[in-house]
Amino acid sequence: MLWSVEILPYETDAFAWFRRLEDQHLPFLLESHGAAQQRYDIIGANPSSTIEVIQGEVRVDQVLTTLDAFDAVEQTVKTMAPDSACPLDLPFQGGAVGFFGYELTHRAQKLPGRSGSERDLADMLVGIYDIFIVIDHELRQTHQVCTPGATANAKALWAKLLAPSRKLPGLDFQSTSDVQMDMSAPQNYQAFEKIKNYIDAGDCYQVNFAQRFSATYRGNPLGLYQALRQTQRAPFSACIRTPGADILSFSPERLVRVADRQILTQPIKGTRPRHPDPSEDQRLAEELQNSEKDRAENLMIVDLLRNDLGKTAVPGSIAVDSLFELVTFANVHHLVSSVSGELRPDVSAMDLLRACFPGGSVTGAPKHRAMQIIAELEPVKRQAYCGAIGYYSYHGNLDTNLPIRTIICTNNKLHYWGGGGIVADSEAAQEYVETLTKVNFISNALASLTK
């Protein structure tokens, strides 16, 4: 069997291709909006195999396994990988795509479980895709790729699905309630004080504390995704439709990438809001760049990630390529750092993801103690929020976002989170406002879509 590559019409809007697959099984869209960090968009549906974790049980194609989640993905990818190489030099060449929920490692780390209104939502859901579309915005090319494992029936179905004349579901979306928060402002301040007490007692240096926002809706959640992506041009955006929920991510942050055994992680710490007045907007950006508190907070996470990468990297290969780089998005300014390394020959990219999971910028430092405090003080599960969304390719490459600025839509309810790192000199009111600022683009969009 051979690889099959078909040249499709170049489409700058990856969402248009995704919409032709949206009513299929486990469709996904990983899009970069042509950002400098990523030049590719990847679209797929109808995986040939699935790996999921529900209430701690790991299943491969519905069959219970004793493997942990990461090993289950690793072994399934290895088993299904083609013997021959893809004829194109693409970052994704078939393999695993999906999400890893924040609580995925809680049982192994003996962390307490938490309640959540969506108890049946998977802690991880990954599909193995043998037919997919890759859009290369630099070369202005669109490729439909079929691995040697793709069946003739699957190829015939895709030909029908991609027909431009195919009628698509509507995108009507309406928010049907005001946004509610799981914690009131006084409750949030009480949790803040407990965290400060833990820091003062020497339990930890930083805790990333988040609060959940919720609302009800009717219609197609992809209408919300379409509306938000017009203004929130996030470099690590993603949309995954699962049987239990639609996951809409507008993440500005990469968790970890492996390309040709080279590792890259790019944590974000430090935030200021955008301002409509250019001079005030510039002042806020400069204030962030010069903030000793935000730099110290960022550096803590860089050090944590250097330690995480060191578990699977070649000794001496880890380097901090940039510190405190100012990156501006539609609604906020951020400080972003980059840490690189080389993967050891005896480990895989999935081993690296396990070693880094969940990302240090959404836990705190030291990681395990910070996660214990988060489990104690946050009233509901984070689920897909703050886990990872991305791919693990047959040829060993991996790229995952850290799904902040992420919405989970299920059973006509939607949930999203805002959080931030609390350190010794944090102020409660400022941290509270920052969580609102980070998700204001979602809250404002819901208000405009309310009827």
Side-chain angles (χ1 to χ4, degrees):
M1 294 186 292
L2 300 175
W3 290 78
S4 172
V5 179
E6 182 179 349
I7 304 299
L8 302 176
Y10 175 65
E11 174 62 70
T12 60
D13 184 3
F15 188 63
W17 284 113
F18 175 72
R19 291 225 57 218
R20 300 183 196 180
L21 303 171
E22 70 174 84
D23 57 355
Q24 298 302 295
H25 181 49
L26 288 182
F28 73 86
L29 166 63
L30 307 178
E31 64 175 334
S32 61
H33 295 292
Q37 296 96 326
Q38 291 179 285
R39 78 189 219 195
Y40 301 97
D41 297 330
I42 308 170
I43 306 105
N46 298 325
S48 54
S49 183
T50 57
I51 307 101
E52 62 182 339
V53 180
I54 298 178
Q55 297 181 350
E57 292 187 340
V58 183
R59 296 179 183 271
V60 179
D61 294 328
Q62 303 301 314
V63 177
L64 188 66
T65 175
T66 57
L67 298 171
D68 78 359
F70 300 97
D71 282 338
V73 174
E74 178 77 56
Q75 290 202 15
T76 305
V77 167
K78 283 186 176 180
T79 299
M80 300 182 69
D83 293 331
S84 58
C86 179
L88 298 178
D89 183 20
L90 299 174
F92 178 70
Q93 299 181 9
V97 179
F99 78 89
F100 300 75
Y102 172 82
E103 282 84 13
L104 185 60
T105 60
H106 270 42
R107 180 174 293 188
Q109 297 189 54
K110 296 182 171 55
L111 292 168
R114 287 177 294 174
S115 63
S117 59
E118 320 307 334
R119 293 177 181 270
D120 294 331
L121 190 63
D123 289 320
M124 184 193 84
L125 183 53
V126 170
I128 306 297
Y129 295 85
D130 290 308
I131 305 179
F132 51 93
I133 292 170
V134 177
I135 302 175
D136 184 336
H137 292 290
E138 183 175 304
L139 298 181
R140 299 178 65 83
Q141 294 178 343
T142 301
H143 297 101
Q144 178 186 307
V145 182
C146 301
T147 75
T151 65
N153 288 340
K155 294 178 184 179
L157 174 62
W158 267 64
K160 293 180 180 179
L161 294 175
L162 297 181
S165 59
R166 200 168 77 86
K167 187 176 181 180
L168 301 175
L171 283 178
D172 291 339
F173 175 91
Q174 295 176 357
S175 176
T176 57
S177 74
D178 293 334
V179 174
Q180 304 291 327
M181 291 182 285
D182 286 311
M183 302 179 72
S184 65
Q187 289 172 324
N188 192 283
Y189 291 162
Q190 287 177 356
F192 176 90
E193 289 303 321
K194 288 183 179 179
I195 292 171
K196 288 294 290 290
N197 289 337
Y198 280 128
I199 292 173
D200 291 342
D203 280 43
C204 52
Y205 308 107
Q206 181 180 158
V207 174
N208 194 86
F209 184 68
Q211 59 176 324
R212 190 177 75 166
F213 304 76
S214 302
T216 59
Y217 71 90
R218 63 171 172 261
N220 187 345
L222 295 189
L224 177 60
Y225 186 82
Q226 182 189 49
L228 290 172
R229 70 191 287 275
Q230 301 304 314
T231 56
Q232 196 67 20
R233 311 290 289 181
F236 304 103
S237 295
C239 182
I240 301 178
R241 306 206 82 171
T242 80
D246 288 317
I247 301 171
L248 321 176
S249 184
F250 301 89
S251 176
E253 184 169 357
R254 168 177 276 138
L255 175 55
V256 66
R257 182 188 76 186
V258 175
D260 299 324
R261 312 291 295 178
Q262 298 304 304
I263 302 167
L264 177 65
T265 185
Q266 295 176 296
I268 289 176
K269 275 296 168 194
T271 304
R272 289 295 185 278
R274 298 296 307 275
H275 197 281
D277 178 72
S279 60
E280 177 62 13
D281 192 54
Q282 180 65 26
R283 187 196 69 78
L284 288 167
E286 292 175 355
E287 177 184 277
L288 176 60
Q289 283 185 297
N290 297 322
S291 168
E292 291 186 9
K293 170 189 173 294
D294 289 291
R295 284 172 171 253
E297 188 178 337
N298 191 294
L299 188 59
M300 286 183 199
I301 301 306
V302 166
D303 285 340
L304 186 156
L305 286 170
R306 289 172 63 206
N307 180 70
D308 283 350
L309 296 189
K311 299 172 185 175
T312 57
V314 172
S317 70
I318 297 173
V320 178
D321 302 314
S322 64
L323 272 175
F324 321 137
E325 180 183 356
L326 179 72
V327 180
T328 296
F329 298 94
N331 64 325
V332 291
H333 302 287
H334 278 314
L335 293 183
V336 182
S337 295
S338 295
V339 185
S340 63
E342 181 181 351
L343 201 62
R344 289 202 324 261
D346 60 318
V347 297
S348 72
M350 192 54 55
D351 294 321
L352 171 68
L353 181 61
R354 178 197 280 110
C356 294
F357 195 87
S361 64
V362 294
T363 59
K367 181 183 282 189
H368 185 72
R369 183 61 182 129
M371 291 177 69
Q372 289 177 324
I373 295 169
I374 290 168
E376 173 193 341
L377 298 178
E378 290 185 13
V380 294
K381 293 175 67 175
R382 293 181 174 185
Q383 298 177 309
Y385 169 72
C386 285
I389 297 174
Y391 66 78
Y392 178 41
S393 180
Y394 282 142
H395 70 309
N397 283 4
L398 174 144
D399 204 359
T400 53
N401 79 0
L402 209 165
I404 55 178
R405 323 288 197 269
T406 294
I407 309 166
I408 299 174
C409 303
T410 178
N411 299 322
N412 294 112
K413 297 178 183 176
L414 62 83
H415 307 290
Y416 58 101
W417 290 253
I422 297 172
V423 293
D425 53 352
S426 293
E427 296 180 5
Q430 181 178 336
E431 295 294 334
Y432 183 74
V433 170
E434 182 177 309
T435 65
L436 302 180
T437 298
K438 288 175 176 176
V439 297
N440 63 6
F441 74 98
I442 302 175
S443 303
N444 292 342
L446 290 174
S448 69
L449 294 168
T450 299
K451 291 189 178 179

